[in-house]
Amino acid sequence: MCGIIGYVGSKNAPAILIEGLKKLEYRGYDSAGIAVLKNNKTIITKEKGTICKLEEKLKENMSTTGIGHTRWATHGVPNKINSHPHKVENITIVHNGIIENYLELKEKLINKGYNFKSDTDSEVACALICDLFKEKNDMQKVLEEFKKITRGAYAIGVLIDGVEDKIYAIRNKSPLIIGVSEEENFIASDVPAILEYTNKYILLEDMDIAIIGKNDISIFRSNKKIKNDIKIFDKKVDKIDKNGYKHFMLKEINEQPDVIRRTIESFSKKDLPNLTKYEKIDIVACGSAYHAGLIGEHLLSKKLKAVITTHIASEYRYKDINPNFKTLVIVISQSGETADSLEVIKKANEKNIDTLGIINVYKSSIAREVKYLVYTKAGFEISVATTKAYLSQITTFALMVNSKLNKEEIVKAINKTLKLEQDCINIAKKIKNQENLFFIGRGIDHYIGLEGSLKLKEISYIHSEAYPAGELKHGTISLVSKNTPFIATITDEVISEKTISNIKEVKARDGNITLIATEDIKVNEDYYDSLIQIPKVQKDLQPLLAIIILQLISYHTARLRGCDIDKPRNLAKSVTVE
Ligand code: M6R
């Protein structure tokens, strides 16, 4: 989602801002822009589309102070006018987040004579800052007042015409850090954006206000200047490179043997709380991480007495956590920045409820907030559609119930499964022109279907639904007619007979079945149209192999349809708004 970068120093700000924006590209965006201060005025360049397009538009503007932004549209379509930076009179801002009461603020500002060019809440925030600045003439006081008037989430960088060497910043519920260096300082949505220049950073907390100059940084918390707490980012960030693959997604699918090896090798039970002491475990996440949670629930329920339930974070955050049970909240997140998941952790912390994070991104916001933390070892994931991070999340749950997984066996089986790519291409050719598709399975196989369905939808734009196989006959089977496509998964032999019965019901109505089954599960060939057999491994890891097949089918279907696989339309890698 939106990304922010800012620079104040002695070097050429536009070049640094563009490089910083490129590092934030993975978050997903649809337009980009920068503002630099020159001769006491900001010069703004912004464009719909890629950062390269923006770069082409940049004029030779030597400046040593500036702010930049990648926008992922929330209020108003992706176009140049709605993109950031926004300028109102002498104030220029970049904003990540959502100002919830912007309409009411906009009305008041219109009554005061302000005009708005864009449809955004961000331009309203800019006008509000401008208006308050006229009255107070002191940006710290302005931002203190801004906090009181606005509702919502924001990370904002501000420039003032006439103030050449200062960036002002404020954050509330959207990520923002300050990069600290010699005679130059930065603001950014995350640390990797500034790592080329410095690994020293200050984390802004919610409601902090900062004034950043090239040699000085002042941070105000509850209206008082606080001591700067400079941290060191002590980890190397992976090189961003497709390594010969056409897309990051395919590269990341093929990295999964290494990912599982790393995840198993680095797992330590010491990072976990004593799981047996809880009466209730709530697993909370969004999207694919939620699907990994369902598998986690399935695995943990077999071992623990606690009542274990998986929840979607955007729903859970508005529910009350029953204080009568000793509860653990487990949040799963690749990015560690997902706004809804972060709020769940904050709410649990406020109520003194134990939290465990299963997080991929080092020192991300959720990683910093949880009481117990397990880092998944997927490495940097660029493709918006998650593959290797999801796999490492399921592996982590498998390790939580059995820390002695047979690493060599599973790595070998994953490599063998990856070799089934041509079979997946054949299925992709078969489904590429479909408009609708069903994924069916029971139990853990249904959870895999949910993930397969999400993968296919998000990158190929084919509508699909994942159904528990036994539920079809309660309504949905009415949609089955000649050649309606189904992808059925059977990896759990205990319930294989039952799923086979449901497959027969589909076949009896002329549906078309692609079956993904573990090699020892025997299904009469009359009941399917295509079959992909995956190797057999120890039970808790079996889902991993089936999901790799579904990832490859989705990938090749999207490729054959000519979709923008790594950056699917309307999606962002890290979802930092509610
Ligand atoms: O960063 P997170 O794991 O918290 O993200 C959660 C979802 O937004 C994410 O899994 C999303 O569903 C993926 N794009 C799916 O491929």
Side-chain angles (χ1 to χ4, degrees), residues 92-136:
T92 304
I93 73 159
V94 287
H95 165 226
N96 172 12
I98 291 177
I99 308 290
E100 285 165 7
N101 56 338
Y102 84 105
L103 282 176
E104 155 201 330
L105 295 168
K106 189 171 185 175
E107 207 179 304
K108 285 187 189 150
L109 289 160
I110 289 173
N111 289 337
K112 282 183 147 187
Y114 288 89
N115 295 312
F116 292 92
K117 298 192 260 317
S118 77
D119 306 317
T120 64
D121 53 337
S122 308
E123 193 185 11
V124 175
C126 188
L128 178 62
I129 293 172
C130 171
D131 195 54
L132 292 169
F133 193 68
K134 280 181 198 160
E135 182 194 320
K136 301 188 185 294

Side-chain angles (χ1 to χ4, degrees), residues 286-289 333-335 338 384-386 454-455 458 575:
C286 307
S288 296
S333 175
Q334 187 287 128
S335 62
T338 302
V384 166
T386 181
L454 178 63
K455 250 355 27 114
E458 68 177 330
V575 183

Side-chain angles (χ1 to χ4, degrees), residues 114-261:
Y114 288 89
N115 295 312
F116 292 92
K117 298 192 260 317
S118 77
D119 306 317
T120 64
D121 53 337
S122 308
E123 193 185 11
V124 175
C126 188
L128 178 62
I129 293 172
C130 171
D131 195 54
L132 292 169
F133 193 68
K134 280 181 198 160
E135 182 194 320
K136 301 188 185 294
N137 201 26
D138 175 329
M139 191 50 78
Q140 191 229 324
K141 289 192 182 131
V142 166
L143 295 177
E144 292 292 353
E145 191 62 24
F146 180 90
K147 294 196 289 199
K148 294 183 199 149
I149 302 176
T150 50
R151 280 198 318 273
Y154 45 81
I156 296 179
V158 186
L159 297 179
I160 310 174
D161 280 2
V163 184
E164 283 288 313
D165 56 353
K166 290 274 182 288
I167 299 175
Y168 302 85
I170 182 169
R171 78 154 272 190
N172 181 35
K173 298 182 190 158
S174 289
L176 197 67
I177 59 112
I178 299 174
V180 184
S181 190
E182 294 290 306
E183 303 209 344
E184 59 182 9
N185 292 310
F186 303 79
I187 58 169
S189 295
D190 64 22
V191 182
I194 50 139
L195 269 188
E196 199 176 320
Y197 310 98
T198 179
N199 67 349
K200 292 196 197 119
Y201 68 101
I202 301 171
L203 276 173
L204 288 181
E205 287 189 6
D206 283 350
M207 299 295 183
D208 280 357
I209 291 168
I211 305 174
I212 303 123
K214 83 178 200 183
N215 290 312
D216 51 291
I217 296 168
S218 306
I219 298 174
F220 299 88
R221 190 165 296 161
S222 310
N223 226 338
K224 285 198 188 73
K225 191 165 182 301
I226 56 162
K227 194 167 165 276
N228 293 344
D229 178 11
I230 300 177
K231 299 182 187 304
I232 304 287
F233 193 86
D234 50 1
K235 194 170 172 282
K236 252 182 72 202
V237 173
D238 304 348
K239 217 169 110 225
I240 302 176
D241 184 354
K242 287 196 196 131
N243 210 6
Y245 288 96
K246 192 153 184 246
H247 296 100
F248 281 109
M249 183 176 176
L250 190 59
K251 175 189 169 226
E252 288 161 4
I253 290 173
N254 280 285
E255 281 171 355
Q256 294 182 109
D258 287 342
V259 168
I260 197 156
R261 189 185 289 281

Side-chain angles (χ1 to χ4, degrees), residues 318-487:
Y318 294 108
K319 286 185 181 152
D320 288 330
I321 307 176
N322 189 334
N324 298 327
F325 298 104
K326 177 89 186 138
T327 302
L328 172 70
V329 172
I330 303 181
V331 161
I332 316 162
S333 175
Q334 187 287 128
S335 62
E337 299 295 345
T338 302
D340 288 315
S341 306
L342 180 59
E343 283 311 305
V344 166
I345 291 295
K346 286 188 179 163
K347 187 172 156 184
N349 285 348
E350 273 164 25
K351 293 184 183 288
N352 261 327
I353 289 167
D354 283 357
T355 54
L356 163 66
I358 300 178
I359 310 295
N360 195 43
V361 175
Y362 184 63
K363 291 198 176 168
S364 52
S365 299
I366 301 177
R368 295 192 305 261
E369 291 279 341
V370 286
K371 181 166 178 189
Y372 300 97
L373 173 63
V374 175
Y375 277 119
T376 48
K377 295 286 170 175
F380 208 21
E381 194 179 59
I382 301 287
S383 162
V384 166
T386 181
T387 52
K388 60 177 185 167
Y390 167 82
L391 181 118
S392 68
Q393 291 159 353
I394 306 179
T395 310
T396 302
F397 279 111
L399 285 158
M400 282 162 74
V401 296
N402 174 10
S403 54
K404 293 192 179 55
L405 295 179
N406 187 336
K407 185 175 68 190
E408 293 316 319
E409 180 201 49
I410 183 69
V411 169
K412 203 166 142 212
I414 292 182
N415 278 315
K416 218 169 146 192
T417 306
L418 287 168
K419 292 209 173 81
L420 298 170
E421 188 168 2
Q422 187 52 51
D423 294 352
C424 300
I425 296 174
N426 295 341
I427 304 299
K429 284 183 185 156
K430 192 168 114 177
I431 64 172
K432 73 174 190 333
N433 294 322
Q434 298 292 340
E435 283 176 2
N436 296 294
L437 201 128
F438 289 98
F439 288 82
I440 54 168
R442 283 174 178 254
I444 210 158
D445 293 331
H446 167 52
Y447 303 146
I448 294 165
L450 284 168
E451 176 58 8
S453 169
L454 178 63
K455 250 355 27 114
L456 188 71
K457 282 190 276 248
E458 68 177 330
I459 60 168
S460 77
Y461 317 141
I462 296 177
H463 171 251
S464 67
E465 281 191 50
Y467 249 78
E471 183 64 11
L472 277 181
K473 55 183 163 298
H474 297 287
T476 316
I477 203 159
S478 67
L479 293 170
V480 181
S481 60
K482 193 164 172 52
N483 282 333
T484 305
F486 278 74
I487 298 186

